[in-house]
Amino acid sequence: MTMRCPNSRFSALALLLLLWQPGSLALESDRAQAIGFSAEGGSTTSVKGEMRILEMKTNVKVTQGTLQIMGDAAIIESVAASGEVTRVTVHGSPVRYQQQLDEQGGLVVGTSETLLFYTDSTADETILELIGKANIQSPDSAMTCAAIVYLADQDIIREATGPCEGILNKRSN
């Protein structure tokens, strides 16, 4: 089944409800893990106010547990005093995202031109914003839009900017 959704909040909300898969959540242990990073190219670190900014180039990889983000360049922002990472921005052609959903090995994968990775402190949610030719796929669905806001802890697309299209797969029992 192929679905096309116009750029309206009602249609996007209806599609998001269809894509929600109860019981299929990202591994809870991922959030407890440290954020790791690597790059083949150079890096620079600067301090702006209370923030430490690490910029990396060439084949960058950012990880947290089973969550992996790979791209061409990355910026990691952290609080200078505590080292707490507040936001990771990865650019690429494309940026590639992957995370294990459950103990059975189900994966969610995605691509985009830019990916923002952060925790919403008020909702305590891990958020991934895929911007520019955004695509996300899980065992039960796939969606392509101009931009997608994905809640990793719940395996749910909270918001999407059209035009969008997607596929809903039958669940196997």
Side-chain angles (χ1 to χ4, degrees), residues 81-96:
S82 67
E84 177 187 350
V85 174
T86 58
R87 179 179 301 259
V88 176
T89 304
V90 181
H91 302 283
S93 53
V95 174
R96 295 169 312 283

Side-chain angles (χ1 to χ4, degrees), residues 33-167:
Q33 303 296 315
I35 293 177
F37 57 88
S38 64
E40 291 180 8
S43 67
T44 59
T45 303
S46 61
V47 176
K48 295 181 181 172
E50 297 181 15
M51 300 302 293
R52 179 178 302 133
I53 313 295
L54 170 62
E55 297 183 54
M56 301 178 297
K57 298 178 186 176
T58 313
N59 293 328
V60 299
K61 183 175 183 180
V62 178
T63 61
Q64 185 178 38
T66 67
L67 182 147
Q68 297 179 23
I69 304 168
M70 295 150 291
D72 300 330
I75 301 167
I76 299 177
E77 302 172 45
S78 60
V79 178
S82 67
E84 177 187 350
V85 174
T86 58
R87 179 179 301 259
V88 176
T89 304
V90 181
H91 302 283
S93 53
V95 174
R96 295 169 312 283
Y97 158 70
Q98 170 181 305
Q99 187 171 18
Q100 187 175 336
L101 289 173
D102 52 38
E103 297 296 334
Q104 291 73 37
L107 289 177
V108 61
V109 296
T111 59
S112 62
E113 295 172 343
T114 299
L115 189 144
L116 306 177
F117 165 49
Y118 58 94
T119 299
D120 179 345
S121 58
T122 54
D124 196 32
E125 292 280 355
T126 302
I127 297 177
L128 293 147
E129 293 186 32
L130 294 88
I131 303 165
K133 299 180 185 173
N135 174 33
I136 198 154
Q137 298 174 25
S138 71
D140 296 327
S141 61
M143 189 167 179
T144 300
C145 296
I148 295 172
V149 177
Y150 176 70
L151 304 180
D153 301 328
Q154 297 182 45
D155 183 28
I156 186 171
I157 294 172
R158 181 179 77 186
E159 192 175 321
T161 303
C164 296
E165 63 181 31
I167 297 172

